[in-house]
Coordinates of all heavy atoms in Angstrom, one line a residue:
Chain B
P204 N 181.6 47.4 184.0 CA 181.2 46.4 183.0 C 180.7 45.1 183.6 O 181.3 44.6 184.6 CB 182.5 46.2 182.2 CG 183.6 46.7 183.0 CD 183.0 47.7 183.9
E205 N 179.7 44.5 183.0 CA 179.1 43.2 183.6 C 179.9 42.0 183.0 O 180.5 42.1 182.0 CB 177.7 43.1 183.1 CG 176.7 44.0 183.9 CD 176.0 43.3 185.0 OE1 175.6 42.1 184.7 OE2 175.8 43.9 186.0
A206 N 179.9 41.0 183.8 CA 180.6 39.7 183.4 C 179.7 39.0 182.4 O 178.5 39.1 182.5 CB 180.9 38.8 184.6
T207 N 180.3 38.4 181.4 CA 179.5 37.7 180.4 C 180.1 36.3 180.3 O 181.3 36.0 180.7 CB 179.6 38.3 179.0 OG1 180.9 38.3 178.5 CG2 179.1 39.8 179.1
S208 N 179.4 35.4 179.6 CA 180.0 34.1 179.4 C 180.7 34.0 178.1 O 181.4 33.0 177.8 CB 178.9 33.0 179.5 OG 177.9 33.3 178.5
N209 N 180.6 35.0 177.3 CA 181.3 35.0 176.0 C 182.6 35.8 176.2 O 182.6 36.9 176.6 CB 180.5 35.7 174.9 CG 179.2 34.9 174.7 OD1 179.2 33.7 174.6 ND2 178.1 35.6 174.5
P210 N 183.7 35.2 175.8 CA 185.0 35.9 176.0 C 185.1 37.1 175.2 O 184.8 37.1 174.0 CB 186.1 34.8 175.6 CG 185.3 33.8 174.9 CD 183.9 33.9 175.2
V211 N 185.6 38.2 175.8 CA 185.8 39.5 175.1 C 187.2 39.8 175.2 O 187.8 39.7 176.3 CB 184.9 40.6 175.7 CG1 185.2 41.9 175.1 CG2 183.4 40.2 175.6
P212 N 187.9 40.3 174.1 CA 189.3 40.6 174.2 C 189.5 41.6 175.3 O 188.8 42.6 175.5 CB 189.6 41.3 172.8 CG 188.6 40.7 171.9 CD 187.3 40.5 172.7
G213 N 190.6 41.4 176.1 CA 190.9 42.3 177.2 C 190.3 41.8 178.5 O 190.7 42.2 179.6
Q214 N 189.3 40.9 178.4 CA 188.7 40.4 179.7 C 189.3 39.0 180.0 O 189.9 38.3 179.2 CB 187.2 40.2 179.5 CG 186.4 41.5 179.3 CD 184.9 41.3 179.3 OE1 184.4 40.2 179.0 NE2 184.2 42.4 179.6
K215 N 189.2 38.7 181.3 CA 189.8 37.5 181.8 C 188.7 36.5 182.1 O 187.5 36.8 182.4 CB 190.5 37.8 183.1 CG 191.5 36.7 183.5 CD 192.4 37.2 184.6 CE 193.2 36.0 185.1 NZ 194.0 36.3 186.3
A216 N 189.0 35.2 182.0 CA 188.0 34.1 182.2 C 188.0 33.7 183.7 O 189.1 33.6 184.3 CB 188.3 32.9 181.3
W217 N 186.9 33.5 184.2 CA 186.7 33.1 185.6 C 185.8 31.9 185.8 O 184.9 31.7 185.0 CB 186.1 34.2 186.5 CG 186.8 35.5 186.2 CD1 186.5 36.5 185.3 CD2 188.0 36.0 187.0 NE1 187.4 37.5 185.4 CE2 188.3 37.3 186.4 CE3 188.7 35.5 188.0 CZ2 189.4 38.0 186.9 CZ3 189.8 36.3 188.5 CH2 190.1 37.5 187.9
V218 N 186.1 31.1 186.8 CA 185.2 30.0 187.1 C 184.5 30.4 188.4 O 185.1 30.8 189.4 CB 186.0 28.7 187.4 CG1 185.1 27.6 188.0 CG2 186.6 28.2 186.1
L219 N 183.2 30.4 188.3 CA 182.3 30.8 189.4 C 181.8 29.5 190.1 O 181.3 28.7 189.5 CB 181.1 31.6 188.9 CG 181.4 32.7 187.9 CD1 180.1 33.5 187.6 CD2 182.4 33.7 188.5
F220 N 182.1 29.5 191.4 CA 181.6 28.3 192.2 C 180.7 28.7 193.3 O 181.0 29.7 194.0 CB 182.9 27.5 192.7 CG 183.7 28.1 193.6 CD1 183.5 28.0 195.0 CD2 184.8 28.9 193.2 CE1 184.4 28.6 195.9 CE2 185.7 29.6 194.1 CZ 185.4 29.4 195.5
P221 N 179.7 27.9 193.6 CA 178.7 28.2 194.6 C 179.1 27.6 196.0 O 179.6 26.4 196.0 CB 177.4 27.6 194.1 CG 177.9 26.4 193.3 CD 179.2 26.7 192.8
L222 N 178.8 28.3 197.0 CA 178.8 27.7 198.4 C 177.5 28.2 199.0 O 177.4 29.3 199.5 CB 180.0 28.2 199.2 CG 181.4 27.6 198.8 CD1 182.5 28.3 199.5 CD2 181.4 26.1 199.0
G223 N 176.5 27.4 198.8 CA 175.1 27.8 199.2 C 174.6 28.8 198.3 O 174.7 28.7 197.0
K224 N 174.1 29.9 198.8 CA 173.5 31.0 198.0 C 174.6 31.9 197.4 O 174.3 32.7 196.5 CB 172.5 31.8 198.8 CG 171.3 30.9 199.1 CD 170.3 31.7 200.0 CE 169.1 30.8 200.4 NZ 168.2 31.5 201.3
K225 N 175.8 31.9 198.0 CA 176.8 32.8 197.6 C 177.7 32.2 196.6 O 178.0 31.0 196.6 CB 177.6 33.3 198.8 CG 178.2 34.6 198.7 CD 178.7 35.2 200.0 CE 179.5 36.5 199.6 NZ 180.3 37.0 200.7
R226 N 178.2 33.0 195.6 CA 179.2 32.5 194.6 C 180.5 33.2 194.8 O 180.6 34.4 195.1 CB 178.6 32.6 193.2 CG 177.4 31.7 193.0 CD 177.2 31.5 191.5 NE 176.8 32.8 190.8 CZ 176.6 32.9 189.5 NH1 176.7 31.8 188.7 NH2 176.2 34.0 189.0
F227 N 181.6 32.5 194.4 CA 182.9 33.1 194.4 C 183.6 32.7 193.1 O 183.0 31.9 192.3 CB 183.7 32.5 195.6 CG 183.1 32.7 196.9 CD1 182.1 31.9 197.4 CD2 183.5 33.8 197.7 CE1 181.5 32.1 198.7 CE2 182.9 34.1 198.9 CZ 181.9 33.2 199.4
A228 N 184.7 33.4 192.9 CA 185.4 33.2 191.6 C 186.8 32.9 191.7 O 187.5 33.3 192.7 CB 185.3 34.5 190.7
L229 N 187.3 32.0 190.8 CA 188.7 31.7 190.7 C 189.2 32.0 189.3 O 188.4 31.8 188.4 CB 189.0 30.2 191.0 CG 188.9 29.8 192.5 CD1 189.1 28.2 192.5 CD2 190.0 30.4 193.3
P230 N 190.4 32.4 189.0 CA 190.9 32.5 187.7 C 190.7 31.2 186.9 O 191.1 30.2 187.4 CB 192.3 32.9 187.8 CG 192.5 33.5 189.2 CD 191.5 32.7 190.0
A231 N 190.1 31.2 185.7 CA 189.9 30.0 185.0 C 191.1 29.2 184.7 O 191.1 28.0 184.6 CB 189.1 30.3 183.7
D232 N 192.2 29.9 184.5 CA 193.5 29.2 184.1 C 194.1 28.4 185.3 O 195.0 27.7 185.2 CB 194.5 30.2 183.6 CG 194.9 31.3 184.5 OD1 194.4 31.3 185.6 OD2 195.6 32.2 184.0
T233 N 193.5 28.6 186.5 CA 194.0 27.8 187.7 C 193.1 26.6 187.9 O 193.4 25.7 188.7 CB 194.0 28.6 189.0 OG1 192.6 29.0 189.3 CG2 194.8 29.9 188.8
V234 N 192.0 26.5 187.2 CA 191.0 25.4 187.4 C 191.2 24.3 186.4 O 191.3 24.5 185.2 CB 189.6 25.9 187.4 CG1 188.6 24.8 187.5 CG2 189.3 26.9 188.5
T235 N 191.3 23.0 186.9 CA 191.5 21.9 186.0 C 190.2 21.2 185.6 O 189.9 21.0 184.5 CB 192.4 20.9 186.7 OG1 193.6 21.5 187.1 CG2 192.7 19.7 185.8
E236 N 189.3 21.0 186.6 CA 188.1 20.3 186.3 C 187.1 20.4 187.5 O 187.5 20.8 188.6 CB 188.3 18.8 186.0 CG 188.9 18.0 187.2 CD 189.2 16.6 186.9 OE1 188.2 15.8 186.8 OE2 190.4 16.2 186.8
L237 N 185.9 20.0 187.2 CA 184.9 19.9 188.3 C 184.6 18.4 188.4 O 184.2 17.7 187.5 CB 183.6 20.6 188.0 CG 182.5 20.6 189.0 CD1 183.0 21.4 190.3 CD2 181.2 21.2 188.5
A238 N 184.8 17.8 189.6 CA 184.7 16.4 189.8 C 183.5 16.0 190.6 O 183.1 16.7 191.5 CB 186.0 15.9 190.5
R239 N 183.0 14.9 190.3 CA 181.8 14.3 191.1 C 182.3 13.9 192.5 O 183.5 13.8 192.7 CB 181.3 13.1 190.4 CG 180.5 13.4 189.1 CD 179.1 13.4 189.4 NE 178.4 14.0 188.2 CZ 177.2 14.7 188.3 NH1 176.7 14.9 189.5 NH2 176.6 15.2 187.3
P240 N 181.4 13.7 193.4 CA 181.8 13.3 194.7 C 182.6 12.1 194.7 O 182.4 11.2 193.9 CB 180.4 13.0 195.4 CG 179.4 13.8 194.7 CD 179.9 13.9 193.2
D241 N 183.6 12.1 195.5 CA 184.6 11.0 195.5 C 184.9 10.6 197.0 O 184.5 11.3 197.9 CB 185.9 11.5 194.8 CG 186.6 10.3 194.2 OD1 186.4 9.2 194.7 OD2 187.4 10.6 193.3
R242 N 185.6 9.6 197.2 CA 185.8 9.1 198.5 C 186.9 10.0 199.2 O 188.1 10.0 198.7 CB 186.3 7.6 198.5 CG 186.5 7.0 199.9 CD 187.0 5.6 199.7 NE 187.6 5.2 200.9 CZ 188.7 4.3 201.0 NH1 189.1 3.8 199.8 NH2 189.2 4.0 202.1
L243 N 186.5 10.7 200.2 CA 187.5 11.5 201.0 C 188.2 10.6 202.0 O 187.6 9.9 202.7 CB 186.8 12.6 201.7 CG 187.6 13.5 202.6 CD1 188.6 14.4 201.8 CD2 186.7 14.4 203.5
Q244 N 189.5 10.6 201.9 CA 190.3 9.8 202.9 C 191.1 10.7 203.8 O 191.8 11.6 203.4 CB 191.3 8.9 202.1 CG 190.5 8.0 201.1 CD 191.4 6.8 200.6 OE1 192.0 6.1 201.4 NE2 191.4 6.7 199.3
A245 N 190.9 10.5 205.1 CA 191.5 11.4 206.1 C 192.6 10.6 206.8 O 192.6 9.4 207.0 CB 190.5 11.8 207.1
F246 N 193.6 11.4 207.2 CA 194.7 10.9 208.1 C 195.1 12.0 209.0 O 194.9 13.2 208.7 CB 195.8 10.3 207.3 CG 196.4 11.1 206.3 CD1 197.3 12.1 206.6 CD2 196.0 11.0 204.9 CE1 197.9 13.0 205.6 CE2 196.6 11.8 203.9 CZ 197.5 12.8 204.3
P247 N 195.8 11.7 210.1 CA 196.2 12.8 211.0 C 197.1 13.8 210.4 O 198.1 13.4 209.7 CB 196.8 12.0 212.2 CG 196.3 10.7 212.1 CD 196.1 10.4 210.7
H248 N 196.9 15.1 210.7 CA 197.8 16.1 210.2 C 197.4 17.4 211.0 O 196.5 17.4 211.8 CB 197.6 16.4 208.7 CG 196.2 17.0 208.4 ND1 195.9 18.3 208.4 CD2 195.1 16.4 208.0 CE1 194.7 18.5 208.1 NE2 194.1 17.3 207.9
T249 N 198.2 18.4 210.8 CA 198.0 19.7 211.6 C 197.8 20.9 210.7 O 198.0 22.0 211.2 CB 199.2 19.9 212.6 OG1 200.4 20.1 211.8 CG2 199.4 18.7 213.5
T250 N 197.5 20.7 209.5 CA 197.3 21.8 208.6 C 195.9 22.2 208.5 O 195.0 21.4 208.2 CB 197.8 21.4 207.1 OG1 199.1 21.0 207.2 CG2 197.7 22.7 206.2

Side-chain angles (χ1 to χ4, degrees):
Chain B
E205 286 258 322
T207 67
S208 56
N209 298 318
V211 174
Q214 292 186 337
K215 198 172 170 182
W217 308 91
V218 170
L219 312 180
F220 64 92
L222 288 171
K224 293 179 183 173
K225 205 168 174 192
R226 292 198 294 176
F227 300 87
L229 287 174
D232 57 7
T233 65
V234 176
T235 303
E236 62 179 287
L237 183 67
R239 287 264 168 210
D241 208 336
R242 182 182 161 214
L243 176 69
Q244 301 196 49
F246 52 81
H248 66 86
T249 63
T250 305

